[in-house]
Amino acid sequence: MDFERTFEPATIEARWYAHWLTLGVFTARPGSPLPPFSMVIPPPNVTGRLHMGHALNNTLQDILARWRRMKGDDVLWLPGTDHAGIATQMVVDRQIAAEGLSREAMGREAFVERVWKWREEYGGAIIAQLKRLGCSCDWTRERFTMDPGLSRAVREAFVRLYEAGLVYRDKFIVNWCPRCRTAISDLEVIPQETHGHLYTLRYPFAAGKGGIEVATTRPETMLGDTGVAVHPDDERYRGAVGRTVVLPLVGRELPIVADRFVDTEFGTGAVKITPAHDANDFEVARRAGLPPLVVMDEQGRMNDNVPEKYRGLDRFEARRLVIEDLKAGGYLVAVKDHVHNVGRCQRCDTVVEPYLSTQWFVRVKPLAEEAVQAVADGRVRFVPPHWVNSYNEWMGKMHDWCVSRQLWWGHQIPAWHCTRCAEIHVARSAPRACRRCGGTGLRQDPDVLDTWFSSGLWPFSTLGWPDGTPELKRYYPTTVLVTGFDILFFWVCRMMMLGLHFMKEVPFHRVCITGLVRDAEGQKMSKTRGNVVDPLDLIDRYGADALRFTLAAMATPGSDLPLSEERMAGYRAFANKIWNAARFVLLNLGGETMSQTPPALPPRPALRLEDRWIVSRLQRLSASVDERLREFRFDETANALYQFLWHEYCDWYLEMAKPRLLPGAPPGETARTRAVLLHVLDAVLRLLHPVMPFLTEDLWQRLPHEGETIALSPYPGHDPAWVDDGAEREVETLMEVVVKVRNIRAELNIDPARRLPLRYVAHSAGARATIAGNASVIAALARLESVEEAADPPAPGPAARAVASGVDLAVPLEGVIDIEAEKRRLLREIDKLSKESESHARKLQSADFLSKARPEVVDKSRRIHQELVERIGRLSQTIESLG
Ligand SMILES: [Zn+2]
Ligand SMILES: [Zn+2]
C-alpha cells in the first residue's frame, strides 16, 4: 500500500479542500428536511490579512459547523467581508498618493471606482486565507457589505429608522479626526495618558478692575470662547454672573453665566466656554444661549473666525503662539504640569478634536432597552456569562450613535437636500422634485454611513432582508455567534439593537466570546513589540490541523491564549502520532478486512478484555465530546481527544493488540483484533474531524468506508450498551502493574531488553483473576519472562518491590543486577540529590531570597525541592528492598 512514512500537511491540505468544494459539502440546503444550524461569520475587513484573532475565531466556528453537519444538521455558515470604510479608503489613498494623485483631484466617482478596482484585485486575500485554515463556509453565499443586496438593505433600514423617528440630523460635538477628516465613534477614540500642561488664563472684566481666571489644557481653543461659566452656588463669583469679560488676543466680550455643570473644585471654579470644540461646553452654551463658534477647519487648522495672525496655523502651532502672546500680554497666570487622557484616533493615532458639525444620529435609547431585555430574559445567552455585565453597562451608557462619516467609500446616506429651499428628503431612491418648493435641484448628502451600520444588519441582510426569503425564514435567528470580545460593543450590541428592531427577533441565541491570543509570555501581540505571529506562517510550518488543534485546546472560556510554539510543535507531533498509528493499523490489515464497508465490531462475547476496554473508553469519549461541544468547551473537547488517542489508543491499546497481529497468533484472534483496531480508529477519526479536518480526511479515505468524504459521514453516537465499567477497572489494574514494573526498570537502570520475572500476591479474588487471566498481556507490555503468583512475601531474597491496587509486586533481582554495585550507585545518587535538595532548602529559608526573588522563581525552587525530597525517598526505599 502507498502510505508515506511521515505526515506532510502541505501535500494534502489543498487537495482535500478542493475535494470538499467539488462535492458541495459546505453548501446549505434550505429545502432539506434536516434541522437548520446557522452562523454568520464576523466579516473580516476586506483590507485585512488573517491574524491570530481570526484564526481562533474561525477555527472555533468551523469546529461547530463540521460537528453539526456530521450530526445531521443542515448547516449554513455564511461568510463574507466588510467594506471597512476608513481602513479601505486609507489604503487606496496611499496607493494613489504613490502615483502622485489625490482623492480631491480625482473626484468622488473616479475614486470610488478605483476602490472597487482595488477590491477586485486584493479583496479576496483574506477569503483565500480562511480557506487555507480549512473553514467550511458556504462560499456560494459569500456576501460583501457593499454588494447590491446589502446596500439595498442598508438604505431600507436607514429610511425605516428615519420614518420611525429613530434617525435624526443635528449639529453636535463629535470626535473628529483631522487626519482622516471624518467623525469617528466614541469607540474609535483611544484614550492615552499624556504629560501635558494646565494653563491658567486671566480674562479682565470689560468694566471695572480685576478679572476672572480660567484653566485649560488646550489654550488655542480660547480663540473660540463665547462665554465663561461658574457654579451658581459658588460664593467667590456671586457678583460676577451677568458681567462680561474681554477675551484676550481677540477683544470679544464674553458674558459670565451660571451653570450647575461647573465643578467648583476644578482649577479656579470658573471655566471658559468653547461651545464648538467641547462636548460639555456645547451643552452649557445651549442652556445659556451662547452661540457656537467653530475656529478650526476639518484638518485642524485655525480658520477665518480667529484674528488674522493665527489663521491657517495648525492647532498645535497656534497653541504655541497663543501661549506666547498671552504671556506677553500678561494674561498667562500659571502653567502647571498636568497628566491627563488625550483621545487619539484608532486608525491614525492623531489627537482627536471635539468638533461641532452637522451629523446624522440614531436614537439609541429605545433600541438599547429592547436589546438589554432580550438578554435579561434569556433569549440570548453569553458564553462565558460574565460578559452580560459589560454588555448591560455599555448599553446603559450608550450615547446616540453618530452614523455619518465624511468619507467617500461606503453607503452614501439616502438623503437629498433641496438646493433651493434646503428641505431634506430621506428616501429609498432619489426624488424627482422637492416636496416643499417643487425645485428639481436635489443633491444627495455627501456623507456615508458608519461601517458598523451595515455590519449591524449582517445576520439578516445577508439572508435577503428586506425580502422574506426562504433563507431568512429558515436561518434567522442564527444559532450562535462566535466573536472576539473586542467587537462586543462595536458590533454585537448593534446587531442586537437592529436585529430586534427590524426582525422582532434576536439575531442569535448564543454569543460565544473568545479570548485574546497572546504571545508565549502572555504579552499582547503588537507591531511595536514585534511579537506578532502570522497564522499563515504557522500553517506553513506546522500544518493547519496542528494550528487549529492548538487554538481549540487553549480556548478556555474567559481566558486569553498564550500561544507557544512549543505547544504547537507538540500538537504537530500529535498529528504524526495519529498518522503513524493509522499507518500501523492499515499495514497490518489482512486483505480480507479491507472490504468496502465501515468496520463493524465483532459480537461482544468474542472480545477480549482489552477490546472491551477500548470500545468502552471510545463510548465515553464520544459522549463527552458531544456534551463538551454543546457547552462550547473546545478546550476540553481537544484534550479528551488527545488523551484518548495518544495514551489509550496508541500507547496502550496498540501495544496490547500487537502480539495478536503476529504471524503465529490464532487467525480468529487476529481477525477480531483487526476489526476492533479499525472500528475504533474509524470512529475516533470522525470524532476528531471537526478539529483536524485535513489529517482525518486523508486517513479516513484510506480506511474501508462508504461515502465520499468524512465530512459528511455520521458523527459517532454514544451507545451505552458498550460501556463496560468492569473492563475499565480491570485494565486500570493491568496498566498500574505495568507502570510499576517500568518504574522499577528505570530506577535500577535495568536494560530495557532484559526480560524479568514478576511475582505477585493478590489480596482479592478479582485482582488475582485479572492478573492471572491477562498474564500474557502484562508480560508483553512490561517485558517479563514470567508472571507468577507467590506466597506472602512474594520474594524472600533481594528484590525490587512495589504495590499496586490489590496486589503486592516483586521483581527478584538475584542474577539480574549486581546488587552491591547497585546499592553503591544508589547511595551516591542519594548523596548528590541530598546536596541539591539542601541548597534549595537553605534558599527557601532565607528571608532575603524570599523577599527579593520573583514569585515564579520562588515557586520553581519550592517545586524542585519537593521533587528532590520525593525522589530521595523513593531511592531509599529501593535500597531497603535490595536487603
Ligand atoms: Zn485618524
Ligand atoms: Zn425645495
Side-chain angles (χ1 to χ4, degrees):
M1 185 193 305
D2 180 26
F3 204 139
E4 305 76 2
R5 279 192 173 278
T6 49
F7 171 45
E8 298 288 352
T11 61
I12 65 160
E13 287 174 1
R15 174 155 44 99
W16 293 123
Y17 201 86
H19 181 68
W20 296 324
L21 290 181
T22 311
L23 294 177
V25 171
F26 309 155
T27 312
R29 319 241 174 256
S32 86
L34 303 174
F37 176 94
S38 59
M39 291 185 293
V40 287
I41 205 170
N45 285 355
V46 67
T47 50
R49 309 275 304 168
L50 198 76
H51 57 56
M52 287 311 298
H54 295 130
L56 168 66
N57 173 256
N58 288 293
T59 292
L60 303 187
Q61 289 176 78
D62 194 47
I63 291 173
L64 293 174
R66 288 178 182 271
W67 167 57
R68 291 318 307 178
R69 210 175 275 125
M70 292 174 77
K71 293 289 282 187
D73 288 354
D74 165 35
V75 171
L76 170 63
W77 181 16
L78 196 145
T81 47
D82 191 292
H83 67 281
I86 298 187
T88 311
Q89 180 160 320
M90 278 172 70
V91 167
V92 178
D93 265 341
R94 270 199 298 274
Q95 199 184 48
I96 59 173
E99 297 165 21
L101 292 168
S102 81
R103 180 153 40 106
E104 290 73 12
M106 281 175 93
R108 184 167 188 151
E109 212 170 305
F111 179 79
V112 170
E113 216 169 277
R114 185 66 193 256
V115 183
W116 276 108
K117 216 180 109 206
W118 179 92
R119 191 237 169 200
E120 289 304 305
E121 210 169 322
Y122 304 103
I126 192 141
I127 296 296
Q129 294 173 329
L130 287 170
K131 291 178 178 172
R132 282 214 56 201
L133 189 63
C135 293
S136 63
C137 304
D138 183 349
W139 299 111
T140 65
R141 293 170 197 276
E142 183 187 336
R143 305 308 297 265
F144 177 51
T145 47
M146 288 279 283
D147 69 28
L150 269 66
S151 298
R152 180 175 154 235
V154 164
R155 223 159 36 236
E156 183 68 28
F158 186 86
V159 173
R160 285 198 199 174
L161 286 171
Y162 180 80
E163 286 168 351
L166 292 168
V167 154
Y168 63 92
R169 186 170 183 263
D170 199 1
K171 265 186 185 285
F172 214 78
I173 297 281
V174 294
N175 305 298
W176 185 268
C177 175
R179 182 140 183 273
C180 299
R181 270 185 273 165
T182 176
I184 57 179
S185 78
D186 291 350
L187 290 162
E188 290 162 312
V189 178
I190 310 300
Q192 201 180 75
E193 197 179 86
T194 306
H195 292 263
H197 301 284
L198 186 67
Y199 303 88
T200 306
L201 319 179
R202 194 177 57 82
Y203 291 0
F205 287 124
K209 285 205 165 110
I212 209 159
E213 288 177 4
V214 294
T216 179
T217 56
R218 296 186 297 149
E220 71 283 5
T221 61
M222 59 89 63
L223 300 173
D225 284 1
T226 60
V228 168
V230 297
H231 195 280
D233 301 337
D234 195 332
E235 290 298 329
R236 291 171 291 181
Y237 302 110
R238 182 110 307 184
V241 177
R243 297 180 67 180
T244 57
V245 292
V246 177
L247 183 63
L249 315 186
V250 178
R252 192 161 55 238
E253 285 197 22
L254 313 177
I256 301 170
V257 299
D259 194 288
R260 298 201 164 270
F261 141 82
V262 178
D263 178 4
T264 55
E265 305 289 312
F266 179 77
T268 59
V271 292
K272 60 196 264 318
I273 299 298
T274 323
H277 295 276
D278 182 284
N280 291 322
D281 291 7
F282 181 76
E283 299 290 344
V284 173
R286 269 206 171 165
R287 287 192 286 269
L290 303 173
L293 182 68
V294 176
V295 291
M296 288 173 206
D297 67 11
E298 294 181 349
Q299 300 186 56
R301 291 177 308 211
M302 307 315 288
N303 66 12
D304 290 352
N305 291 331
V306 303
E308 198 163 351
K309 70 179 293 194
Y310 307 110
R311 286 179 199 166
L313 292 183
D314 173 77
R315 54 194 166 144
F316 297 111
E317 279 172 59
R319 179 177 297 179
R320 268 192 300 281
L321 192 56
V322 163
I323 293 165
E324 232 176 78
D325 292 347
L326 286 169
K327 205 171 179 179
Y331 302 111
L332 185 62
V333 182
V335 183
K336 270 198 310 198
D337 288 342
H338 184 63
V339 179
H340 61 137
N341 275 327
V342 173
R344 286 176 177 270
C345 171
Q346 189 195 34
R347 292 278 157 212
C348 72
D349 204 39
T350 300
V351 173
V352 169
E353 193 68 33
Y355 193 66
L356 183 68
S357 61
T358 303
Q359 304 284 350
W360 292 90
F361 293 86
V362 170
R363 209 179 294 284
V364 159
K365 202 159 174 277
L367 299 171
E369 276 167 5
E370 273 203 61
V372 166
Q373 189 52 42
V375 173
D377 61 25
R379 276 177 288 157
V380 176
R381 303 217 323 255
F382 283 76
V383 183
H386 71 81
W387 281 107
V388 170
N389 303 329
S390 317
Y391 171 84
N392 286 337
E393 196 192 318
W394 189 262
M395 283 297 203
K397 65 177 190 199
M398 206 166 174
H399 297 296
D400 277 358
W401 171 18
C402 172
V403 288
S404 40
R405 295 290 183 272
Q406 289 64 51
L407 304 172
W408 285 357
W409 176 240
H411 300 103
Q412 197 168 348
I413 291 179
W416 284 263
H417 303 258
C418 173
T419 49
R420 196 198 290 166
C421 77
E423 175 77 353
I424 295 173
H425 308 71
V426 170
R428 287 166 183 82
S429 56
R432 288 225 184 86
C434 173
R435 67 173 156 240
R436 189 156 132 212
C437 74
T440 51
L442 288 159
R443 191 178 51 85
Q444 187 170 4
D445 197 293
D447 290 355
V448 300
L449 285 163
D450 180 8
T451 303
W452 299 103
F453 188 89
S454 48
S455 44
L457 311 173
W458 187 250
F460 50 100
S461 63
T462 51
L463 294 171
W465 187 88
D467 296 336
T469 60
E471 284 82 357
L472 189 63
K473 287 198 189 81
R474 181 168 171 83
Y475 300 114
Y476 189 96
T478 60
T479 316
V480 56
L481 175 81
V482 182
T483 187
F485 68 90
D486 51 331
I487 49 173
L488 181 59
F489 310 122
F490 277 111
W491 191 45
V492 178
C493 289
R494 318 253 189 237
M495 283 189 288
M496 286 291 291
M497 294 192 296
L498 297 173
L500 280 160
H501 181 76
F502 289 111
M503 296 295 298
K504 308 289 168 226
E505 272 253 50
V506 295
F508 22 70
H509 297 299
R510 297 279 201 107
V511 182
C512 177
I513 294 159
T514 58
L516 191 67
V517 182
R518 295 173 176 272
D519 76 4
E521 277 75 49
Q523 302 258 25
K524 204 170 166 172
M525 290 186 187
S526 75
K527 277 190 193 136
T528 32
R529 280 203 188 91
N531 60 350
V532 178
V533 178
D534 177 356
L536 273 303
D537 176 48
L538 296 177
I539 291 175
D540 287 341
R541 286 161 54 213
Y542 297 95
D545 288 322
L547 172 62
R548 293 168 60 110
F549 198 91
T550 307
L551 293 170
M554 295 177 78
T556 305
S559 343
D560 286 348
L561 298 80
L563 185 79
S564 77
E565 295 225 8
E566 229 174 297
R567 196 150 173 192
M568 200 153 357
Y571 291 134
R572 182 180 53 187
F574 176 55
N576 285 334
K577 182 111 176 164
I578 300 167
W579 178 269
N580 291 335
R583 189 166 184 276
F584 172 83
V585 171
L586 281 166
L587 294 181
N588 280 284
L589 289 181
E592 79 280 7
T593 329
M594 288 298 291
S595 59
Q596 286 302 305
T597 49
L601 282 176
R604 188 159 157 155
L607 294 184
R608 295 174 54 108
L609 171 66
E610 58 268 35
D611 301 332
R612 283 182 284 120
W613 167 73
I614 195 70
V615 173
S616 177
R617 297 300 301 158
L618 174 70
Q619 288 306 325
R620 290 197 197 276
L621 176 72
S622 58
S624 134
V625 162
D626 230 36
E627 195 186 308
R628 302 291 75 207
L629 284 177
R630 275 179 215 286
E631 299 297 320
F632 306 100
R633 291 308 301 259
F634 303 97
D635 53 339
E636 292 179 351
T637 301
N639 292 329
L641 287 162
Y642 183 91
Q643 285 302 324
F644 178 86
L645 258 161
W646 189 295
H647 297 297
E648 298 183 320
Y649 189 73
C650 294
D651 284 354
W652 289 101
Y653 185 70
L654 276 185
E655 296 305 317
M656 290 173 176
K658 270 178 189 168
R660 292 190 274 141
L661 299 171
L662 294 177
E669 286 265 295
T670 305
R672 279 193 296 275
T673 305
R674 284 171 175 162
V676 175
L677 275 169
L678 207 51
H679 171 86
V680 178
L681 180 62
D682 166 74
V684 76
L685 287 178
R686 283 184 284 135
L687 287 171
L688 180 63
H689 174 74
V691 191
M692 290 186 146
F694 297 106
L695 170 69
T696 50
E697 179 76 271
D698 197 80
L699 295 176
W700 183 85
Q701 293 281 350
R702 299 165 190 258
L703 302 184
H705 62 268
E706 270 168 2
E708 291 169 294
T709 168
I710 189 174
L712 293 179
S713 70
Y715 207 62
H718 174 65
D719 182 355
W722 281 97
V723 172
D724 189 334
D725 292 315
E728 290 191 26
R729 261 196 314 275
E730 283 194 71
V731 170
E732 264 162 43
T733 304
L734 298 187
M735 287 159 61
E736 208 187 344
V737 170
V738 171
V739 167
K740 296 283 175 180
V741 176
R742 286 176 181 168
N743 289 347
I744 288 172
R745 254 180 215 289
E747 209 96 281
L748 293 174
N749 263 347
I750 300 173
D751 175 6
R754 168 99 195 222
R755 294 204 168 259
L756 301 174
L758 175 68
R759 298 164 72 85
Y760 68 95
V761 176
H763 298 300
S764 69
R768 179 174 302 119
T770 301
I771 296 184
N774 296 283
S776 65
V777 175
I778 296 174
L781 293 176
R783 301 194 70 83
L784 301 172
E785 60 181 20
S786 61
V787 179
E788 274 173 49
E789 186 165 14
D792 207 359
R801 291 165 221 282
V803 177
S805 18
V807 224
D808 291 345
L809 305 170
V811 175
L813 293 171
E814 206 74 71
V816 172
I817 53 169
D818 177 341
I819 291 170
E820 287 312 311
E822 189 54 29
K823 274 192 198 164
R824 284 194 300 275
R825 186 188 71 83
L826 289 171
L827 283 170
R828 279 199 305 277
E829 181 76 14
I830 289 176
D831 200 43
K832 195 183 113 213
L833 296 177
S834 302
K835 279 188 188 130
E836 267 180 62
S837 148
E838 276 158 28
S839 114
H840 280 282
R842 266 197 306 279
K843 259 208 296 199
L844 289 166
Q845 277 162 4
S846 142
D848 202 39
F849 173 73
L850 293 177
S851 64
K852 283 184 188 152
R854 278 185 313 187
E856 56 269 30
V857 174
V858 176
D859 277 351
K860 192 174 173 196
S861 179
R862 197 166 278 144
R863 216 170 44 240
I864 294 175
H865 179 250
Q866 183 61 29
E867 280 164 14
L868 287 167
V869 168
E870 282 166 16
R871 189 156 156 66
I872 292 166
R874 275 202 309 276
L875 293 179
S876 310
Q877 269 175 13
T878 308
I879 292 184
E880 213 170 292
S881 71
L882 290 176

